[in-house]
Amino acid sequence: MLLTVVVLLPVVVAAVLMMLPRLSQRAVAWSWVAAAAVDLALVIWMWIGFDPGRGTSGVVDGLAYDTKVRWIPTVDAAYHVGVDGLSLPLIALTSLLFLAVAIWSQREQDRPRRFAAVFLFLQTTCLGTFAALDLILFFVFFDLSIVGMYFVIAGWGHGNNRRSALKFFLYTFVGSLALLLGFIGLFLGGEERTFDMVRLAARPPLDDSPLLCGLVLLAIGIGLAVKTPLFPFHTWLPDAHTDAPAAGSAILAGVLLKLGTYGFVRIAMPMLPAAWQRWAMVAVVVGVVSVLWGAFVALAQRDAKRMIAYTSVNHMGYVILGLGVAGLVGADPEARTIATVGALVQMVSHGLLTGALFLLTGVLWSRGGTYDFSRWGGLARPAPLFAAALAVAVFGSLGLPGFSSFIAEFQVFTGTIQAAPVAGVIAVTGILVTAGLFLLAVQRLLTGPPLLAVPDAGPVTDDDGSTGSEFGVTADTAPRRAPAAAHAGHGAMDHGAMDHGAMDHGAMDHGAMDHGAMDHGAMDHGAPDDADAQTTTPTTTTPPPPSFPDLRMHEIASIVPLLVLSVVIGLAPVFLLDVIAPAAAAVVELVSR
Amino acid sequence: MTGTGAMSGSPTDLLPELLLVLGAAVGLLLGLWTPQHRQGRVRLVALTAALASAAAAVPALLGDDVTVYGGTWVIDEVTGVVRLTVALSTAAVLALSSRSLAGHPRETEAYVLMLLGATGAVALAAAGDMLMLVAAYLVASVPLYALAGFVKDSRGTEATLKYYLMGAFAGVLMLVGLTTLVLATGGSGYAGLTDRLPGAPTSLVAVGAIGLLAGVGFKAGAVPMHFWVPDVIAGTTPAMAAFITTVPKLGAVAAAFRLLEGPLAEPGVDVALVVAVIAALSMTWGNLAAFQQTEVLRLMAYSTVSQVGYLFMAVAVAARTDLAEPALALYLAGYAVTNVGAFAAAAALPQARTLTDWARAARRRPWLVGSLVVVLLGLVGTPPTAVFVGKVTVFAAAADGSFGWLMVLAAVNTVASLFYYLRWFGPAVRMTARPAGTGPAADVLPAPARTAYAAAVGSLLLGAGAGLWLLLVGL
């Protein structure tokens, strides 16, 4: 029951918000934060009351807070939710990240009520996916998360956001249908026909038919690989990330990607152990390729957000590498368990650090309307807090000891090098590349002479045009932004280059221009933004000297806790490992059947 | 021909149908004595009859399956599902058509024809004898010809003619099929056919099966008998279109299911494969044709063609798996509520013919746009709507009936369908997303808008309450 409340609370609040059109922006923002905070508190309460059990507990036994209500009895689909060591950390991560995003979005001016409602809806879908113990229920939440994220990107993104949103929707929708076909395969293949995850995992279907078993794993694997995303299904990710609002990117990377990897641990591995063993090497190879591909392509990026997006491919590669190792039954069980634990910790760690990184790139966007490395430099001087937070997040992401990612990657490598030495050695080079690219990014952004992006300045945009279509965001929007902002009557001349309100709406106007007469609304946001700009930007002289206001209160409050938690996990991981380790051992044992 | 099973002749067995006919008769008489501007009372009569028919269908669901009147009329779960969905869809269409028909010179006639058409649809589903099937076909078709041409403009007249000629042609094919099967087995009752068809000459069975399928395929609007659908739908009002694409389809799909479950289950010819191919063609063709449409009603017309494809998946595996019947029950109900909802959204803005017009007119109607999103995503099969549950069970049934390829094709088509539904609700969402706009918002007709809201909610509730629905219909 408690779990159901945790899952449904956000969507209920979202519905209430939608019912109250007269609510002020402040009230909306605070009720969103309150809802997210209550949800997180309930999850912490659940964590305290959770007994992970000893030995191999989880997946098929030791499920806590479970509720089962029959839904479609003829196919034995039910509303069945519960938590174990696999899902609880991810549920906690989800609640925390959504709270961070709620705090971050305190000052959202663009349709704040709907923004909050969409995110709350998204929170329910993510929590529901992690809590689901029924394949159909899992699919319901999984699919709805796509719908929610589509609206986030299409409604509040920038640049070429509608195209990116559609791309995201189609890729992941195709993936989810492949997933559904796989689920139907599991249902039909089982002795007792059921969609119940626990029973399917306890008695794996299709044991006697390697071909069907492989096909079902292929369908499920493709579905989850698109979501994760793994090479070669990752191509939607950079676009979606670049054009999503910062809050959306943080959720997309921090939570939604985990839905894919979680699906592997929760569904593919325990329910299709024979096929997973047989094809474990494929998972290892795909993992290694994703690690390297993500790292090298990230290295080539000149856009901070795209770079971080590609490092997500890299980090998800470690997860799938660890999970692949879990299926190499010839290897030492101990090593396989270590790799699995590492993969699970990596999910949590990546959520914290990449969530923080995406929020930090949101700071760049809100100050200068661009993510382009060539337009930023020397930010450490004007914005020491930002610099410190970025440095911490970056060092965390590259796997420095003392951070959660070290605990994760260290275990993945320990397991891999014992079980599949070649893959392990190759994957380690991925760490070197990411270390290099993260340091390079820090160097470009924080050191050197101060270079502050001025979105409305003409010469800079000319430079930008030559960077090619890959940086479509800046190249596309910057030239058109100036007239749009001027038109709105509060552009660069009046309130300085840092008027981020004007910029955001400039980007929106760019969208509006594409549809001609269909839309004149964007400009009408001028009035509230004007007020906002005056209160938040210190420089209102003409012409304005470029400046970079440091992190504001709500930005600190949303980013710093994520980094702190990553360090806590890095220094004292026991509270997390105590929960994860039994479940990981259970998964490894189930896969070995 | 005598049927097997329990026989009875109690008139109360047909109470739901009698109520529909009674409503039509009373409505017609009342309409004759009612002045033009007061004809709304006929609608109340018709609405009452439809709701009473739905209520009367419930007790029969709780009882055992019976076969009445010499095996010609079967009352089982399938009939029960169709009785309920047809009566409730008719009621919904009556409700949503109130404004567009009020004061119309032929208002009474429209309501009466709808009730008669609904009776025909139930008769199609309940027919346990080929002669009854043909009779039901006529009862279900003739009122709709009149409804299709209700507007009496050139588009409508052309569409009606096309509809009528196609209908006559399909009727002849059906009669040929009937004759051939009588020739092959010496009887027309399904029970006798089921026994004797496996031993009958293959060529006769093949001709007979094709003939019968042509008839029900025409009523259902399945490829290759679908040519009337886009013209008729685009040539009439959205309210009529909602009726024509929902009510007869429910009966026709159920009739096809009954044929495939019994007489054509094991006739020596692979009828199931033929139906599977029809299903595949319908969903694919409907989708491909829908891509290019710019008119709301034409888009929806092709959407209904593709939806029939998914429904025929359950028909194809009718005799092959126990999952087929629940799948049919879920998908039929889901389709009915969702499809009526989509047409209601179209009817709420009657001036908007094209997709962009609609989006522009709905600019300040977030609830209407929201309902449209729910309904159209429902037609795609997005959880947790009713059609999603229907689709999952239909997919499972198809795979279980060894039509795995059909399931994969249906999944591919599901993805494809997203594109054209997005073409409708995508612009609408974007326009409401920017609150301020120029010019006043278009007037929304309240009754269709309310129907659309109700359908959106109903689609979600039916998805969540799928188990209860199956419990109600006894599956």
Side-chain angles (χ1 to χ4, degrees), chain A residues 289-310:
Chain A
V289 171
S290 295
V291 164
L292 294 182
W293 188 272
F296 280 108
V297 179
L299 189 60
Q301 300 305 314
R302 295 177 57 189
D303 175 301
K305 216 173 178 190
R306 269 184 107 80
M307 184 202 86
I308 298 168
Y310 276 109

Side-chain angles (χ1 to χ4, degrees), chain A residues 18-19 70-75 110-111 114 136 139-141 143-144 147 150-151 154-155 162 166 169-170 173-174 177 180-181 184-185 187-188 193 195 508 512 515 517-522 524-525, chain B residues 321 323 326 330 360 366-367 373 377 380-384 388-389 392-393 395-396 399-400 407-408 411 414-415 418-419 422 425 429-436 438 463-468 470 475:
Chain A
M18 287 311 285
M19 302 269 182
R70 295 197 324 156
W71 179 20
I72 319 172
T74 35
V75 291
D110 184 15
R111 289 161 287 145
R114 291 189 198 179
I136 295 295
F139 183 81
V140 167
F141 286 124
D143 221 27
L144 285 177
V147 177
Y150 169 81
F151 282 117
R162 284 186 20 226
L166 192 65
F169 197 123
L170 292 174
F173 191 73
V174 170
L177 272 168
L180 182 63
L181 295 190
I184 290 175
F187 167 74
L188 293 173
R193 293 195 163 175
F195 279 112
M508 254 194 288
H515 326 299
M518 282 161 63
D519 185 355
H520 300 285
D524 296 5
H525 291 289
Chain B
T321 165
L323 291 173
L330 286 171
R360 198 167 295 143
W367 291 105
V373 171
L377 280 179
V380 177
T382 309
F388 163 70
V389 180
V392 171
T393 46
F395 282 19
D400 197 34
M407 176 181 79
V408 174
T414 300
V415 175
L418 182 65
F419 283 91
L422 255 179
F425 75 78
V429 169
R430 279 201 296 281
M431 293 220 187
T432 49
R434 306 272 174 256
T438 50
L468 293 177
L470 288 179
L475 285 169

Side-chain angles (χ1 to χ4, degrees), chain B residues 185-287:
Chain B
T185 62
S188 66
Y190 284 8
L193 285 174
T194 311
D195 292 339
R196 276 169 248 153
L197 270 185
T202 318
S203 52
L204 288 184
V205 177
V207 172
I210 299 289
L212 292 184
L213 286 179
V216 292
F218 166 78
K219 287 298 333 162
V223 173
M225 306 298 286
H226 69 286
F227 292 106
W228 60 273
V229 179
D231 291 325
V232 169
I233 299 315
T236 184
T237 63
M240 296 298 174
F243 188 82
I244 295 172
T245 55
T246 309
V247 170
K249 251 179 218 220
L250 302 173
V253 172
F257 186 85
R258 200 178 287 293
L259 281 171
L260 265 286
E261 193 187 27
L264 301 179
E266 300 275 341
V269 185
D270 201 347
V271 184
L273 183 64
V274 175
V275 175
V277 171
I278 292 176
L281 288 176
S282 294
M283 62 180 84
T284 313
W285 183 255
N287 276 345

Side-chain angles (χ1 to χ4, degrees), chain A residues 357-573:
Chain A
L357 275 175
F358 273 120
L359 292 180
L360 285 166
T361 60
V363 173
L364 289 182
W365 181 266
S366 73
R367 308 293 195 270
T370 177
Y371 304 118
D372 197 335
F373 282 128
S374 66
R375 312 241 328 250
W376 295 108
L379 296 181
R381 191 183 306 270
L385 280 175
F386 171 79
L390 185 70
V392 170
V394 158
F395 285 120
S397 280
L398 60 81
L400 216 61
F403 289 96
S404 54
S405 53
F406 174 75
I407 306 284
E409 285 164 22
F410 174 74
Q411 297 196 67
V412 170
F413 288 128
T414 311
T416 309
I417 287 174
Q418 276 190 18
V422 180
V425 171
I426 299 175
V428 170
T429 59
I431 288 253
L432 297 178
V433 178
T434 38
L437 74 92
F438 271 126
L439 292 175
L440 211 59
V442 167
Q443 195 187 0
R444 281 160 164 175
L445 291 176
L446 301 185
T447 62
L451 172 61
L452 304 176
V454 183
D456 296 329
V460 190
T461 53
D462 283 344
D463 268 339
D464 219 23
S466 63
T467 56
S469 60
E470 199 190 345
F471 311 110
V473 195
T474 46
D476 232 28
T477 54
R480 305 189 198 185
R481 191 177 298 125
H487 198 88
H490 59 112
M493 292 305 116
D494 300 76
H495 298 299
M498 294 309 116
D499 181 352
H500 64 275
M503 257 134 38
D504 286 348
H505 292 295
M508 254 194 288
D509 242 11
H510 154 58
M513 282 174 198
D514 286 352
H515 326 299
M518 282 161 63
D519 185 355
H520 300 285
M523 289 165 196
D524 296 5
H525 291 289
D529 283 330
D530 233 351
D532 177 50
Q534 276 171 340
T535 54
T536 54
T537 36
T539 52
T540 50
T541 49
T542 323
S547 76
F548 191 93
D550 208 349
L551 293 186
R552 301 187 178 109
M553 257 331 280
H554 67 280
E555 290 162 346
I556 296 171
S558 55
I559 295 170
V560 171
L562 301 178
L563 300 175
V564 168
L565 189 58
S566 172
V567 174
V568 169
I569 293 175
L571 296 177

